[in-house]
Amino acid sequence: MADTTIPERIPINLVVNGERRALEVVPWTTLLDALRDRLELTGTKKGCDHGQCGACTVLVDGRRVNSCLTLAVMKDGAEITTIEGMARDGTLHPLQQAFIDHDAFQCGYCTPGQICSAAGLLAEGRARDADEIRELMSGNLCRCGAYPNIVAAIEQAMSRS
Amino acid sequence: MKAYVGTATSRVDGRAKVTGAAKYAGEFSAKGLAHGFVVEAAIPRGRIVRIDTHEALKVAGVLEVLTHVNRPPLADTDDAWKDEVAPEKGSTFRPVYDDRIKFNGQPIALVVAEDWETAKFAATRLYVEYEEEAFATDLESERDRATEVEQPHKPRGDAAAAMTRAAVRHEADYVLPNEHHNPMELFATTVVWDVGGKLAVHDKTQGVQNVHKFLCSVFGKKPDDIRVISPYVGGAFGSALRPQYQVVLATLAALALKRSVRVVLTRQQMYGLGYRPMTIERVALGAKPDGTLDVVTHEAVAVTSRYEDFSRNDTGWAEQLYKSPNSRSSHKLVHLDVSTPSDMRAPGAASGVCALECAMDELAIALKLDPIELRLKCYSDRDQSDDVPYTSKQLRECYARGAEAFGWSRRDPAPRSMRDGKELIGWGMATGVWEALQMPVAVRIVLTANGHAEISCAASDVGTGTYTIVAQVAADALGLPIENISVRLADSTLPQAPVEGGSWMAASSAHAVLGAAEEIRRELAGLAKAIPGSPLAELDAADVALADGMVASRTRKGAAVSIADVMRHSNLERIEKEKLNEFAEDKSHARNTHSAVFAEVKVDEELGVIRVTRVVSAIAAGRILNTKTGRSQIMGGVVWGIGMALHEETVMDHRFGRIMNPNFAEYHIPVNADVHDIDVIFVDEPDERINKLGIKGIGEIGIVGVPAAIANAVYHATGKRIRRFPITLDKLLE
Amino acid sequence: MNNFDYSRASDVSDAIRLLTADPGAKLIAGGTNLIDLMKENVERPSRLIDITRLPLRDIEETAGGGLRIGALVPNSDLAYHPLVEQRYPLLASAILAGASAQLRNMASVGGNLMQRTRCAYFYDTTTPCNKRSPGTGCSAIDGLNRNHAILGTSQSCIATNPSDMSVALAALGALVHIAGPSGQRTLALTDFHRLPDDKPHLDTNLGSGEIITAIELPAHGFARNFSYLKIRDRLSYAFALVSVAAALELEGNAISEARLALGGVAHKPWRSLEAEAALRGKAATPDHFGHAADLLLQGATARSHNGFKIELARRAIVRTLMQAANATPQSQAHKKIA
């Protein structure tokens, strides 16, 4: 490919928060940029763009992943759940409510990623105590330092699910 | 009716944040939005000989490459570039202004394209030719070139003589590295260009009016031409006090292209913004045999850039904390080929108090005194610098309550004396101190006939909880349920506010709300009294309060008219009041917040792995407006303190003058697994002098003292005194 | 990021064909390392060949009682697979010590073997680096090298391999199944990665046009006496300063079989048959473990900032072997070191 050529766009389909979305993407477009810039779902955050902070965490086919290191073109046909798809009919997801109850955030920027990651954690069923929650949530940085409250929020959601 | 102030009220912006609805600076969209990508200098000093933009411009979708060669006009005087937080001495960095390279990572071009990926790709097709010059970036090798900064703390007594005669002396250098704020949100600006040429600037900032004034000045615009908005800020910690270069570049591009432009920095590029400057803190303490201090000297040598003198109060804190007849302090700067440092959570104090409190621990050991006992022996009820008492200082209570909660009395003072299997246990403590500042803030309240009030102010909420405390104070003052209060912040067209920093926004905004609410009350009282047959008719307006949605007598139970009735009778849809609150200057007392921090570490004896298992932070900061968000603030400060003690260091290769860990993988901040039990205690500290509500800010105090408490705990555990931060395990193995 | 073409491989031979046709092409599966490096302009492939739809996702028992793991099995699926948890807990533990839950969900087993160094100079395209730009020099040798290798280094490169999984695989004697233009072949994991010598741009012995299809574990899983200990600068989500995979077979207190591998200290997982042989027939004591550590660390050289790694590695080896001997493997969640 010549030095200044833009690669061709490729049509893909994503099922985002239950809704089928068709779009054309250049292969270099990450799932994160597709969500934020193309689908205007800015709830998913970009904090490092290198898989080092977890702010971009979404669920792809039910599993938590870093959307910043995921090429959208490779997820053709996948089901994506973002923070915008967590609440149902105006009712907050138990994790969302627990995050409010326990003041598990301050600036709110890591929060969507924390909540999606916690949803993945609950689905995995591998965390049985606070230490395991801490370890399995360590892929989500929080610079405001809300970690103890995040653990408490997840424990609340775990006990109620 | 219950009061909201002082309670554990959940964040009023919580729902927006947990649903993803809260929009940050880089998330606003506009028709025809273009995207800018910054290109950085790859050398620390020299000049740009040539930037070849030819190939980049050939990339389909690239709109423009802005460099110092083709940029539109920018102001050309230092005064025009000074924002309200800029250092007094020096000249603000101007992006793509000329061919000079002042630091590695400096922005030298902006590639603007139809989408972000294209701009980023085209940026790799830019070729830059430099003329390199000799440079220096290493504080330690340039330490001898330090120049003295004027300090507010006058020397007292004769420090040199006192040091000579001191029965017990401790003197050491404590070295604290450069640290970067690393808020989770990337620095970003979205400039929405309006056909008339007016700009709506969505910027990541702690002060919309600071940015507004700055942009008008730099671009020669009238105040009405630009509006700066920043309703949500994804953390800042001082990094967004000054307008950062991306706001200049985005505005420049929008004006050049006459269309809307967004510029988002990469994480790596954010290491070219401000940072906590590396300091070498030299503390010397001289004590009498009974453990009272006779002399304290504190010298700091810090990094700054070649173009601005940035310095903060590292060395004056002993004046506040410890009685000593003799004292001297000095602050020196070393000018290097780096970007200018900036305020970072508890600037000055986080570093200076860390050194002081480690030194106090070392002195306590030399004196064979319990560290708390030493601090109580030296306890100062006056700010010695100005020789004035405090408006309130419950630090003794912090020591007592903190020690009790921590179980300090069970501590065996001998190093290496406590263990749990293969782990050595260390218990350390330290004192924290910060200022309780207050600034002029104006608030507008619009009360509508349906009993709803909108509070607006230009102040920011960078995660600190301003939305929530403003709503709480307003709800109480207006006698309305908090659900009926809406708060608008961080729009430059709203009533005046300074940057949100220095822990001054809580007290300042709260009292501004009180001021405006008082105007509302007075108006409602007058209207209520005037209603024919009003039960309040005979009352003095001062005896009428707002409570439970009523205008009611303070003295006579049942004498009340509902706000809705008052408005209806007066034929009013809304009452609008705006009031600027200024605090009377009062130099008769010092205003400070204090803390006593206790930390437990467990250190693997063989491997040096350190775990911070418990922290108790006892805080004296007046009345706490919101115990829930307040506790979170302090907890966050403690987590920062853990990072400062054990993890954080911006590492530079001085051969290249380049930061080598500009990312979250190698610039370590604490992760969830690093943080365990944090117990926050708010000590009662009634303060009727400082302000009406008796409140002080708590954004900073949470971090101060924490690194020292941890370093002291590590010493207690291992018998090793690490004076070069962060305390990584290799230093324990040496 | 550079511009590149994108192809989806329909089967393994299609992937090989695409690879062979375009020398600048790279395979992509999880993408966790490759996309990161592409964003840094360190990797600039002309084409990405998406192999995520290839049928390489099975974990099946082999005739010899071992396990064959498809190259596309995500790291977390491998770590949590019942057969791996039961028979190869060392591998499960090492995987769970690495990265984050999200990255483990994405990263494939084959990709994990292909991950590149975290050397800061490798990542910074403005500095010399022989691994990134052969012939430009090594900035780390006389630069910031606290995280760098102490074993098997060369004058060209002192980078380390950052994988945790590979360290356990090396200890367990895993095999790497490879398909290429000239058919299939198998390499021992310990021969898969290479030392830098004068060609540090080559991390592995994978030939051009070749693709990893599976990892094979031998029957012996050391499920009773094992431990993986990772020492790093924070308690999770950080690369190893030193990591140790240890596995023992004990008869009473006597060692009948020992496996020992180090991570974070060399350009490849570091294993020494001599050190393991020295343990055979010996009692499981700190002294014997110390001797094995000395043998494993033979030839270790310190640079200006990484000297601590030698002593740290020595102590970590002894400690991990003790954990293995006591059947008290290190938990990756509970951070107190057993």
Side-chain angles (χ1 to χ4, degrees):
Chain A
M1 196 175 287
D3 269 2
T4 55
T5 312
I6 301 284
E8 258 181 60
R9 286 175 187 271
I10 298 171
I12 59 165
N13 284 290
L14 300 173
V15 181
V16 184
N17 300 326
E19 199 181 319
R20 175 173 290 276
R21 309 289 297 260
L23 62 166
E24 294 194 335
V25 292
V26 176
W28 61 32
T29 298
T30 61
L31 179 58
L32 174 61
D33 290 329
L35 290 170
R36 283 171 65 84
D37 290 351
R38 302 290 302 284
L39 302 177
E40 297 200 5
L41 291 169
T42 54
T44 306
K45 303 304 183 195
K46 185 184 281 192
C48 72
D49 215 20
H50 288 275
Q52 299 163 355
C53 79
C56 68
T57 304
V58 298
L59 301 171
V60 174
D61 296 328
R63 296 161 67 103
R64 48 175 166 161
V65 302
N66 300 108
S67 61
C68 73
L69 293 181
T70 304
L71 295 181
V73 70
M74 291 173 67
K75 294 300 164 194
D76 188 14
E79 290 202 20
I80 318 289
T81 305
T82 70
I83 192 69
E84 290 92 343
M86 296 290 287
R88 286 288 150 86
D89 307 322
T91 306
L92 295 180
H93 186 283
L95 277 165
Q96 291 174 311
Q97 187 59 51
F99 268 60
I100 294 175
D101 293 346
H102 290 273
D103 205 35
F105 53 88
Q106 293 179 36
C107 79
Y109 199 78
C110 75
T111 312
Q114 298 277 1
I115 291 173
C116 286
S117 186
L121 173 100
L122 296 187
E124 290 156 13
R126 292 283 167 173
R128 288 149 301 189
D129 60 25
D131 272 353
E132 289 177 333
I133 295 173
R134 287 185 190 105
E135 169 62 16
L136 293 171
M137 286 299 292
S138 282
N140 291 84
L141 305 188
C142 169
R143 187 52 156 165
C144 296
Y147 297 127
N149 292 351
I150 290 168
V151 173
I154 293 172
E155 283 177 322
Q156 173 179 311
M158 264 166 89
S159 69
R160 292 183 188 173
S161 66
Chain B
M1 184 175 139
K2 75 163 188 179
Y4 292 97
V5 167
T7 64
T9 302
S10 289
R11 272 171 217 274
V12 297
D13 51 344
R15 192 179 175 100
K17 286 176 174 173
V18 301
T19 55
K23 272 192 183 293
Y24 298 79
E27 298 173 348
F28 290 85
S29 201
K31 197 165 151 276
L33 182 68
H35 298 256
F37 190 84
V38 172
V39 180
E40 311 131 77
I43 64 163
R45 181 182 171 130
R47 56 176 283 271
I48 302 164
V49 176
R50 199 169 67 95
I51 301 185
D52 183 350
T53 60
H54 185 73
E55 236 186 87
L57 287 166
K58 278 204 306 206
V59 175
V62 170
L63 301 163
E64 180 61 285
V65 180
L66 288 169
T67 68
H68 67 280
V69 178
N70 68 348
R71 65 164 174 81
L74 288 165
D76 57 4
T77 66
D78 284 345
D79 273 356
W81 284 82
K82 271 227 192 300
D83 69 279
E84 72 181 56
V85 196
E88 273 174 40
K89 197 174 158 197
S91 137
T92 301
F93 170 70
R94 308 172 191 176
V96 303
Y97 188 81
D98 57 23
D99 62 355
R100 293 298 310 167
I101 303 293
K102 297 177 171 173
F103 59 93
N104 213 323
Q106 165 183 330
I108 54 172
L110 185 77
V111 180
V112 190
E114 297 285 354
D115 64 79
W116 182 77
E117 294 98 323
T118 300
K120 186 166 155 57
F121 165 62
T124 67
R125 296 294 176 268
L126 215 63
Y127 304 96
V128 187
E129 202 181 304
Y130 302 101
E131 192 175 280
E132 297 184 44
E133 293 170 14
F135 63 90
T137 56
D138 184 5
L139 173 71
E140 288 182 294
S141 67
E142 300 291 309
R143 185 179 182 173
D144 295 344
R145 303 192 181 195
T147 55
E148 188 96 24
V149 179
E150 204 178 313
Q151 280 286 285
H153 304 285
K154 291 179 212 75
R156 290 185 293 105
D158 184 343
M163 200 59 80
T164 321
R165 69 169 178 258
V168 179
R169 262 191 298 267
H170 167 72
E171 180 168 13
D173 277 357
Y174 300 85
V175 182
L176 295 123
N178 282 348
E179 293 182 338
H180 276 79
H181 310 73
N182 275 308
M184 295 309 299
E185 182 194 11
L186 299 172
F187 266 80
T189 305
T190 307
V191 178
V192 179
W193 186 84
D194 183 13
V195 189
K198 298 210 175 197
L199 305 178
V201 179
H202 300 271
D203 188 35
K204 176 181 177 66
T205 176
Q206 291 170 256
V208 286
Q209 290 179 335
N210 186 30
V211 171
H212 175 258
K213 212 171 141 213
F214 173 80
L215 290 178
C216 288
S217 167
V218 164
F219 291 96
K221 294 284 176 189
K222 295 195 293 292
D224 283 352
D225 294 339
I226 295 179
R227 178 178 162 211
V228 181
I229 312 122
S230 186
Y232 292 101
V233 178
F237 315 107
S239 63
L241 286 169
R242 298 184 69 181
Q244 296 295 357
Y245 67 70
Q246 92 287 341
V247 74
V248 177
L249 294 178
T251 307
L252 195 65
L255 291 172
L257 296 170
K258 295 195 173 7
R259 61 188 279 185
S260 300
V261 175
R262 178 190 297 161
V263 176
V264 183
L265 300 190
T266 63
R267 178 61 53 185
Q268 180 176 343
Q269 286 165 349
M270 281 166 57
Y271 284 76
L273 306 178
Y275 52 94
R276 191 192 300 287
M278 178 176 180
T279 49
I280 304 167
E281 310 262 352
R282 186 163 196 80
V283 180
L285 306 171
K288 296 177 183 160
D290 67 355
T292 56
L293 274 175
D294 194 29
V295 54
V296 178
T297 72
H298 191 156
E299 176 198 272
V301 184
V303 171
T304 193
S305 66
R306 292 216 192 270
Y307 52 91
E308 281 173 310
D309 280 9
F310 176 89
S311 70
R312 287 293 179 264
N313 173 21
D314 286 53
T315 59
W317 301 102
E319 295 290 288
Q320 316 265 314
L321 290 176
Y322 303 124
K323 207 155 52 182
S324 166
N326 302 287
S327 83
R328 181 169 49 76
S329 67
S330 80
H331 194 104
K332 293 175 179 170
L333 291 178
V334 178
H335 296 85
L336 298 171
D337 298 295
V338 294
S339 64
T340 306
S342 69
D343 289 305
M344 178 161 160
R345 207 165 196 174
S351 316
V353 174
C354 176
L356 175 66
E357 288 299 291
C358 287
M360 285 294 282
D361 198 61
E362 298 201 55
L363 181 67
I365 290 159
L367 287 163
K368 299 190 169 59
L369 279 178
D370 179 88
I372 299 177
E373 201 187 332
L374 171 63
R375 285 164 174 86
L376 291 174
K377 273 180 188 288
C378 308
Y379 195 90
S380 181
D381 287 309
R382 297 177 80 77
D383 174 349
Q384 298 163 97
S385 178
D386 298 319
D387 195 23
V388 290
Y390 293 90
T391 58
S392 59
K393 181 174 179 177
Q394 292 297 322
L395 177 56
R396 274 198 186 89
E397 190 68 7
C398 292
Y399 291 133
R401 294 273 313 275
E404 190 193 345
F406 189 79
W408 185 257
S409 62
R410 296 193 302 276
R411 178 178 184 261
D412 181 335
R416 302 179 61 83
S417 61
M418 294 165 62
R419 65 164 61 232
D420 173 12
K422 296 185 169 73
E423 286 182 324
L424 297 163
I425 298 175
W427 287 5
M429 61 82 55
T431 312
V433 54
W434 185 251
E435 299 165 287
L437 300 164
Q438 341 188 75
M439 307 287 264
V441 168
V443 152
R444 179 162 63 232
I445 299 180
V446 177
L447 179 70
T448 39
N450 58 3
H452 181 276
E454 183 186 79
I455 322 296
S456 50
C457 174
S460 298
D461 183 336
V462 297
T464 41
T466 313
Y467 279 109
T468 307
I469 56 126
V470 163
Q472 288 175 272
V473 174
D476 284 357
L478 299 170
L480 296 173
I482 202 165
E483 296 73 29
N484 287 21
I485 307 287
S486 61
V487 181
R488 280 182 65 207
L489 297 177
D491 178 330
S492 60
T493 61
L494 297 178
Q496 163 191 339
V499 293
E500 175 162 64
S503 297
W504 60 58
M505 195 53 88
S508 308
S509 60
H511 288 88
V513 171
L514 286 190
E518 170 59 15
E519 304 266 302
I520 298 264
R521 186 199 66 82
R522 234 182 272 154
E523 171 117 3
L524 282 173
L527 295 170
K529 277 159 57 73
I531 295 172
S534 169
L536 306 171
E538 305 300 312
L539 290 172
D540 193 282
D543 291 332
V544 173
L546 304 179
D548 295 321
M550 311 286 277
V551 185
S553 164
R554 288 187 209 272
T555 48
R556 200 165 357 120
K557 219 173 171 180
V561 187
S562 79
I563 291 175
D565 282 348
V566 175
M567 304 276 279
R568 200 177 58 242
H569 277 286
S570 315
N571 239 338
L572 286 174
E573 268 306 302
R574 66 209 294 272
I575 300 177
E576 178 178 329
K577 295 288 176 189
E578 181 175 332
K579 186 93 175 29
L580 170 69
N581 181 67
E582 289 183 278
F583 296 89
E585 196 177 345
D586 176 8
K587 290 191 168 173
S588 68
H589 284 72
R591 299 168 187 79
N592 288 85
T593 52
H594 296 90
S595 70
V597 187
F598 297 81
E600 176 183 85
V601 299
K602 295 191 175 174
V603 184
D604 189 274
E605 188 174 12
E606 285 171 3
L607 302 168
V609 175
I610 304 168
R611 303 190 297 130
V612 179
T613 43
R614 281 196 301 143
V615 176
V616 173
S617 177
I619 302 283
R623 185 177 178 203
I624 302 304
L625 280 168
N626 184 327
T627 51
K628 188 174 197 168
T629 59
R631 175 175 168 271
S632 295
Q633 279 262 63
I634 300 302
M635 182 186 287
V638 170
V639 173
W640 272 61
I642 294 172
M644 194 168 177
L646 304 181
H647 304 126
E648 297 190 37
E649 177 175 18
T650 305
V651 180
M652 193 175 250
D653 186 328
H654 299 299
R655 297 170 305 169
F656 306 117
R658 200 164 163 87
I659 292 168
M660 295 311 296
N661 61 341
N663 57 59
F664 273 136
E666 273 89 16
Y667 182 101
H668 292 133
I669 67 167
V671 297
N672 207 318
D674 291 299
V675 180
H676 282 251
D677 296 344
I678 298 174
D679 184 6
V680 177
I681 297 167
F682 289 118
V683 165
D684 277 341
E685 189 177 66
D687 191 331
E688 288 175 4
R689 181 174 285 274
I690 190 159
N691 53 44
K692 196 169 173 206
L693 291 171
I695 54 178
K696 303 171 174 179
I698 54 170
E700 256 81 8
I701 186 66
I703 182 179
V704 186
V706 179
I710 292 171
N712 296 339
V714 169
Y715 172 79
H716 181 238
T718 64
K720 289 207 163 86
R721 176 63 64 176
I722 309 301
R723 301 194 185 95
R724 179 177 282 267
F725 289 80
I727 306 172
T728 48
L729 60 91
D730 46 325
K731 294 172 188 170
L732 292 179
L733 294 178
E734 270 166 13
Chain C
M1 205 181 280
N2 71 307
N3 49 2
F4 59 90
D5 288 314
Y6 170 81
S7 314
R8 238 171 241 164
S10 53
D11 54 32
V12 171
S13 54
D14 188 34
I16 294 166
R17 187 184 55 77
L18 287 164
L19 260 182
T20 313
D22 185 347
K26 286 211 171 267
L27 304 177
I28 184 164
T32 55
N33 188 225
L34 183 56
I35 299 294
D36 173 34
L37 288 165
M38 287 170 68
K39 288 182 177 188
E40 301 278 7
N41 294 308
V42 173
E43 294 279 11
R44 306 162 73 101
S46 54
R47 173 181 301 274
L48 286 186
I49 303 164
D50 178 353
I51 56 169
T52 53
R53 283 151 213 247
L54 303 192
L56 303 173
R57 292 182 179 270
D58 291 334
I59 298 178
E60 50 200 4
E61 295 184 72
T62 62
L67 218 53
R68 189 185 163 99
I69 301 149
L72 290 174
V73 172
N75 286 196
S76 49
D77 288 14
L78 181 57
Y80 293 136
H81 193 279
L83 287 176
V84 175
E85 285 187 325
Q86 286 157 30
R87 294 192 203 164
Y88 306 96
L90 173 64
L91 176 59
S93 185
I95 292 170
L96 295 177
S100 67
Q102 291 95 312
L103 291 167
R104 294 191 294 265
N105 276 343
M106 302 167 72
S108 68
V109 165
N112 192 315
L113 296 189
M114 297 302 292
Q115 69 178 303
R116 311 208 64 190
T117 186
R118 281 300 308 185
C119 173
Y121 302 103
F122 176 68
Y123 265 82
D124 185 340
T125 55
T126 71
T127 62
C129 169
N130 286 324
K131 184 180 278 296
R132 177 172 28 78
S133 310
T136 54
C138 173
S139 299
I141 285 178
D142 297 316
L144 301 167
N145 49 40
R146 182 174 174 271
N147 300 330
H148 286 72
I150 51 173
L151 288 159
T153 60
S154 74
Q155 283 311 303
S156 300
C157 181
I158 58 169
T160 58
N161 180 307
S163 171
D164 290 292
M165 186 188 81
S166 297
V167 182
L169 289 176
L172 290 169
L175 302 173
V176 185
H177 291 285
I178 295 164
S182 47
Q184 309 208 348
R185 65 178 180 130
T186 302
L187 277 176
L189 188 284
T190 46
D191 295 328
F192 180 79
H193 297 103
R194 58 186 299 286
L195 290 180
D197 54 49
D198 59 351
K199 293 187 196 65
H201 60 288
L202 301 175
D203 294 346
T204 71
N205 288 312
L206 201 65
S208 64
E210 287 191 319
I211 169 174
I212 302 167
T213 54
I215 309 291
E216 187 180 330
L217 294 172
H220 200 163
F222 298 89
R224 209 186 110 71
N225 294 100
F226 72 93
S227 185
Y228 188 77
L229 177 61
K230 180 176 185 181
I231 312 287
R232 44 189 156 177
D233 279 325
R234 65 182 172 195
L235 294 175
S236 187
Y237 205 14
F239 292 95
L241 293 166
V242 167
S243 70
V244 186
L248 297 171
E249 196 62 43
L250 294 175
E251 285 165 20
N253 194 35
I255 299 164
S256 57
E257 179 68 29
R259 298 292 176 80
L260 196 51
L262 294 181
V265 296
H267 201 255
K268 59 185 284 190
W270 196 256
R271 198 180 150 188
S272 144
L273 298 181
E274 194 191 346
E276 293 169 14
L279 284 171
R280 250 173 250 132
K282 300 274 168 37
T285 65
D287 281 355
H288 290 135
F289 293 156
H291 180 61
D294 292 338
L295 288 172
L296 185 56
L297 291 167
Q298 238 170 31
T301 9
R303 307 281 166 177
S304 41
H305 306 117
N306 67 355
F308 75 98
K309 277 193 176 187
I310 300 176
E311 180 59 23
L312 178 64
R314 192 185 185 282
R315 295 182 191 185
I317 292 164
V318 175
R319 188 69 165 274
T320 315
L321 282 164
M322 287 305 297
Q323 293 177 334
N326 296 334
T328 53
Q330 181 59 42
S331 162
Q332 300 306 341
H334 306 281
K335 300 297 178 180
K336 180 174 182 176
I337 300 172

